[in-house]
Amino acid sequence: MGQHALSRQRSDPLIGAVVATVDRLVNASRDRVWTVLCEGWTYSNWVVGTSHMRAVEREWPSVGSRLFHASGAWPLVTRDETKVEESIPARKLVVIARGWPFGEARVRIELEDDPAGSEVGSRITMTEAPVAGPGKWLHNPATEALLVRRNIETLDRLAALAEARTAPQD
């Protein structure tokens, strides 16, 4: 458990382009990972680049619901939001994450049972692609590599919350 593949390329029908995808096996069930995703106030604990939460709509993570966050270090803080496009409990969450001045990204998080058959484990697959703004216009292999590295760390943080670790993992 706790291993991730750096990335694999795949065509994404929601975006209409080839995007990098990051996987991570976690020592927690899909339901446990979903519980963390449903707690909007923990978003800034696992999403790299988000500094703090400002508000979470009661309906989160229902389709159309939003959470409001900030990015950056004071005094250079931007305030933005993330909105749910698709939500299938313990299976899939698709959001549009705004992060201006960089733009907007569609992020898909899919949860599957551990393919090795572990009763307590699951696989998280995360795909992110810029859909608006400078991030989309400047999207290239170098920026894709940065997204992959960022999302590896993001899934490591999400795994730590879902696993509720009592000792650090290196």
Side-chain angles (χ1 to χ4, degrees):
M1 275 303 145
Q3 299 298 315
H4 50 76
L6 290 180
S7 69
R8 64 183 190 275
Q9 298 292 317
R10 76 177 189 192
S11 179
D12 189 313
L14 286 176
I15 293 147
V18 174
V19 296
T21 299
V22 177
D23 294 299
R24 184 157 195 326
L25 295 174
V26 295
N27 194 20
S29 68
R30 287 184 297 107
D31 289 332
R32 176 65 191 130
V33 176
W34 185 255
T35 297
V36 174
L37 295 174
C38 288
E39 181 48 62
W41 285 102
T42 67
Y43 186 83
S44 61
N45 293 352
W46 58 272
V47 175
V48 174
T50 305
S51 60
H52 66 275
M53 297 306 301
R54 299 182 301 116
V56 177
E57 290 185 341
R58 291 187 211 296
E59 299 82 12
W60 180 266
S62 297
V63 172
S65 64
R66 297 172 298 166
L67 50 76
F68 303 87
H69 45 79
S71 299
W74 187 88
L76 304 173
V77 175
T78 61
R79 294 180 175 164
D80 252 314
E81 66 183 54
T82 293
K83 184 176 181 177
V84 177
E85 282 192 327
E86 184 177 358
S87 181
I88 302 172
R91 288 283 179 201
K92 185 191 304 187
L93 182 64
V94 180
V95 300
I96 295 292
R98 294 176 41 109
W100 290 91
F102 301 109
E104 298 177 11
R106 177 170 285 110
V107 180
R108 180 176 43 248
I109 298 172
E110 296 172 289
L111 307 175
E112 301 173 275
D113 292 328
D114 179 5
S118 164
E119 291 182 24
V120 296
S122 59
R123 180 198 322 234
I124 307 169
T125 302
M126 182 177 181
T127 303
E128 178 176 357
V131 294
K136 180 178 180 182
W137 310 325
L138 301 173
H139 192 69
N140 61 56
T143 59
E144 185 72 23
L146 288 173
L147 279 177
V148 166
R149 187 63 213 132
R150 173 182 175 265
N151 290 340
I152 288 170
E153 176 63 21
T154 292
L155 290 188
D156 285 348
R157 293 178 184 190
L158 179 56
L161 288 170
E163 293 170 352
R165 297 182 190 149
T166 58
Q169 292 182 349
D170 293 327

